[in-house]
Amino acid sequence: MLDVLIVGYGPVGQVTAILLAQRGWSVTVVEKWPEPFTMPRAVSFDGESARVLAAAGVGDHIARFGEPSRDYVWRNAAGDTLLRVDVAEHGPCGWPDSTSMYQPGLEDRLAERGARQPGLRVLRGYRVESVTDHGDRVEVEAVGENTLRLTAKWVIGCDGANSFVRERMGVGVTDLDFASDWLTCDVVPHEPREFSPNNLQICDPARPSTAVSAGPGHRRWEFMRLPGEDLEEFNRIETAWRLLAPFDMTPDNATVQRHSVYRFQARFADQWRVGRLLLAGDSAHLMPPFAGQGMCSGFRDAVNLAWKLDLVLANQADVALLDTYTDERRAHVRHAIDMSVNLGKVICQPDAKAAADRDLVMIATRKRNEGRPQQQSAVYHPLTTGLLAEGTAAAGTLVPQGRIERDGRTGLLDDIVGHRFVLLVADDPRRLLTEEASAYLRDLDAEVVHVVPAGTRGGVVDVDGVYLSFLDKVKAVGVLVRPDFYAFGGASDGIVLSELVTIRLRGLLSPVALLS
């Protein structure tokens, strides 16, 4: 019997499969398409997603399909700047706050990584036609060249907006009723060209449009379909070239790799786990593209689910732990969807008078904020519920990442200590922690990292000063970081820190064992 069966092998299915296979579990993926899709869909990911991709083993390859996104500018119909964000190339996660990428290149690297995992098998060209949860196992039937009958302990649906797994789960869907048709044009200029700004949002009520980087050598243009425009006519290549012409994109100097009308939506599944069936990625949520959080949210699903399922499979946590997956990710995704919808309502304003009023407010705000750093802090949203030591220091915070030096090796923390529970402490852990707390951390394969300033002995050197600054900011002597980079909680002294581990964490992971 398989440990995990995943339906769908897009980027979210790939990352989920790799994260689980790296932990030693047997994972089989069933994908209906015989070959990978060769055209891009998403065009960027944030710093947290880069951190997840590094955890999946492809961090060293990001430069092959991605590049820092640089600037992001909103302009009105007259060309006035409404908003400008200079995206940090060294963000709090240790990666650029945004990376523009060519999605087929990303999927190729993930496929290569997956192929090197001995416990991971990918079955392409098979369509899942039945999923039956028997309580202690799940039976799946898939049809391709022949009929496969597979049995797994858990099934994860990463099978997109029209998810078969979600349908079988019978869960409700909350729809925020915000949708619009846009013509997407993926373009390859024949000669290298500098675009300034690199990423542009045109808030023109006559035709809201987007022009952004889609990775090295690739560009993406998107145009909103206006009321009354014929859908078939709007989706013609002639229409694409007409709309691209003002940007000096013509058949003489560029190739349109793909043009397609898509309808963005704003909705999410009400439950992401029913019995032994789980959802991740587009099968669990859809959102407008304006915050660039669709695929990123799917990567957050993958890393959140993988470490929890790992503990459950290893009998180190009660199965109830998986209920926190829905609680945490649904609340987090709702924030991303709301942010995307709110941005969309500003951008997709078709009324000229309302757009003029919007422009006045945004221009005044921009001028008032000139000289102040523009941050993307809204993207890095904290967890507000779930497996957290609520009420303690930093609980739910996305913990930043910097370089450390240990045993003569310098690098990002994740690369050196691995992807596990990490207890960051600013004092000698032998003085801080009880033996019981230390033993439980060893049982979890957690890493205790005593960070010290540069030039100091007796600990792990905080090369960039990230961790000592973070602990000082949250007023904690130690913070316990989950494998998905979010803080479980922190404490200002050793007694409370030990209780955080031995009572709160152990109690939440294994409530049945605690009560028995």
Side-chain angles (χ1 to χ4, degrees):
M1 180 164 57
L2 300 167
D3 293 314
V4 182
L5 186 144
I6 296 173
V7 183
Y9 206 50
V12 174
Q14 289 177 306
V15 170
T16 306
I18 292 167
L19 291 176
L20 287 165
Q22 286 178 164
R23 287 170 163 87
W25 303 113
S26 61
V27 181
T28 290
V29 182
V30 178
E31 166 57 57
K32 66 180 179 181
W33 298 110
E35 300 292 336
F37 189 59
T38 59
M39 291 290 109
R41 296 171 300 284
V43 293
S44 68
F45 53 82
D46 61 22
E48 186 181 353
S49 296
R51 201 170 174 181
V52 174
L53 290 171
V58 298
D60 291 342
H61 301 285
I62 287 177
R64 295 171 62 181
F65 55 80
E67 59 190 5
S69 294
R70 305 199 328 253
D71 51 352
Y72 179 41
V73 175
W74 289 23
R75 289 179 180 158
N76 64 7
D80 302 316
T81 297
L82 306 178
L83 173 73
R84 179 185 180 89
V85 177
D86 292 313
V87 182
E89 291 196 18
H90 299 284
C93 283
W95 294 87
D97 270 343
S98 179
T99 296
S100 298
M101 60 100 189
Y102 184 58
Q103 184 175 333
L106 166 62
E107 293 192 45
D108 285 347
R109 301 291 83 74
L110 288 170
E112 290 173 0
R113 176 67 177 172
R116 292 197 296 271
Q117 304 306 308
L120 174 56
R121 177 176 59 157
V122 180
L123 303 173
R124 285 192 168 275
Y126 285 89
R127 181 185 297 274
V128 173
E129 296 203 344
S130 74
V131 176
T132 307
D133 186 347
H134 292 283
D136 61 344
R137 69 194 188 286
V138 183
E139 292 184 352
V140 175
E141 184 175 290
V143 176
E145 293 182 359
N146 49 33
T147 298
L148 298 177
R149 291 177 177 84
L150 305 166
T151 303
K153 297 174 184 175
W154 297 91
V155 168
I156 306 173
C158 299
D159 48 341
N162 299 313
S163 170
F164 180 85
V165 176
R166 187 184 65 239
E167 178 187 326
R168 281 294 179 266
M169 289 168 64
V171 298
V173 174
T174 296
D175 193 327
L176 302 186
D177 195 26
F178 183 70
S180 180
D181 291 331
W182 283 63
L183 174 64
T184 295
C185 302
D186 289 304
V187 179
V188 178
H190 293 166
E191 299 292 338
R193 184 190 300 189
E194 184 75 16
F195 291 87
S196 182
N198 197 37
N199 302 283
L200 175 63
Q201 192 70 59
I202 302 175
C203 304
D204 182 356
R207 176 82 70 187
S209 307
T210 302
V212 296
S213 169
H218 297 266
R219 299 288 297 178
R220 161 75 60 83
W221 274 268
E222 297 180 348
F223 305 96
M224 192 175 92
R225 184 166 74 99
L226 302 177
E229 284 189 308
D230 180 75
L231 181 60
E232 184 176 344
E233 179 66 25
F234 189 59
N235 199 25
R236 290 167 57 85
I237 184 62
E238 292 82 4
T239 302
W241 282 122
R242 174 173 58 81
L243 294 172
L244 288 166
F247 299 91
D248 190 27
M249 289 286 113
T250 71
D252 294 328
N253 62 22
T255 297
V256 174
Q257 282 193 316
R258 180 184 71 129
H259 66 94
S260 177
V261 175
Y262 78 99
R263 168 163 286 243
F264 68 67
Q265 301 177 67
R267 64 181 190 176
F268 56 91
D270 298 330
Q271 289 294 326
W272 299 13
R273 177 204 165 203
V274 174
R276 290 182 172 269
L277 307 181
L278 298 137
L279 300 174
D282 286 355
S283 64
H285 47 76
L286 295 170
M287 66 190 73
F290 305 111
Q293 286 297 294
M295 187 178 70
C296 296
S297 294
F299 289 160
R300 291 184 180 95
D301 299 343
V303 72
N304 185 300
L305 180 57
W307 72 265
K308 292 176 179 176
L309 195 51
D310 173 55
L311 289 178
V312 170
L313 284 165
N315 294 317
Q316 288 184 291
D318 185 79
V319 70
L321 173 63
L322 295 176
D323 291 331
T324 69
Y325 170 63
T326 292
D327 295 340
E328 292 177 4
R329 294 299 307 131
R330 184 177 56 197
H332 206 275
V333 158
R334 179 61 191 262
H335 169 79
I337 294 175
D338 287 345
M339 180 170 59
S340 300
V341 168
N342 290 336
L343 291 173
K345 288 179 177 178
V346 174
I347 293 166
C348 303
Q349 176 54 258
D351 182 84
K353 175 63 171 62
D357 293 340
R358 170 204 64 198
D359 295 352
L360 288 174
V361 172
M362 293 189 70
I363 290 171
T365 301
R366 177 183 60 78
K367 290 181 177 179
R368 188 165 59 248
N369 291 330
E370 282 181 351
R372 301 177 186 176
Q374 300 297 304
Q375 300 177 344
Q376 288 190 317
S377 57
V379 172
Y380 301 118
H381 189 63
L383 295 178
T384 55
T385 186
L387 188 78
L388 305 172
E390 296 182 11
T392 69
T397 301
L398 178 64
V399 177
Q401 179 177 213
R403 291 177 300 157
I404 62 171
E405 180 186 344
R406 186 176 71 176
D407 300 329
R409 181 186 174 196
T410 300
L412 291 172
L413 177 102
D414 295 349
D415 295 336
I416 291 181
V417 307
H419 304 92
R420 49 168 57 93
F421 277 99
V422 175
L423 181 64
L424 296 169
V425 293
D427 201 353
D428 189 336
R430 292 171 295 184
R431 292 198 298 266
L432 283 177
L433 299 173
T434 65
E435 178 53 38
E436 183 184 8
S438 296
Y440 186 61
L441 289 171
R442 287 194 295 271
D443 288 344
L444 283 177
D445 191 32
E447 188 85 13
V448 179
V449 179
H450 174 202
V451 286
V452 298
T456 305
R457 294 183 177 181
V460 174
V461 177
D462 186 8
V463 175
D464 299 320
V466 166
Y467 297 106
L468 289 170
S469 175
F470 171 72
L471 291 171
D472 182 65
K473 180 180 178 181
V474 300
K475 297 180 172 57
V477 71
V479 170
L480 182 61
V481 187
R482 308 178 341 167
D484 57 0
F485 325 124
Y486 286 85
F488 173 72
S492 58
D493 63 65
I495 293 175
V496 179
L497 189 63
S498 292
E499 291 176 348
L500 189 79
V501 173
T502 59
I503 297 177
R504 301 195 70 166
L505 179 63
R506 185 165 60 186
L508 286 169
L509 290 184
S510 306
V512 174
L514 187 69
L515 294 172
S516 60

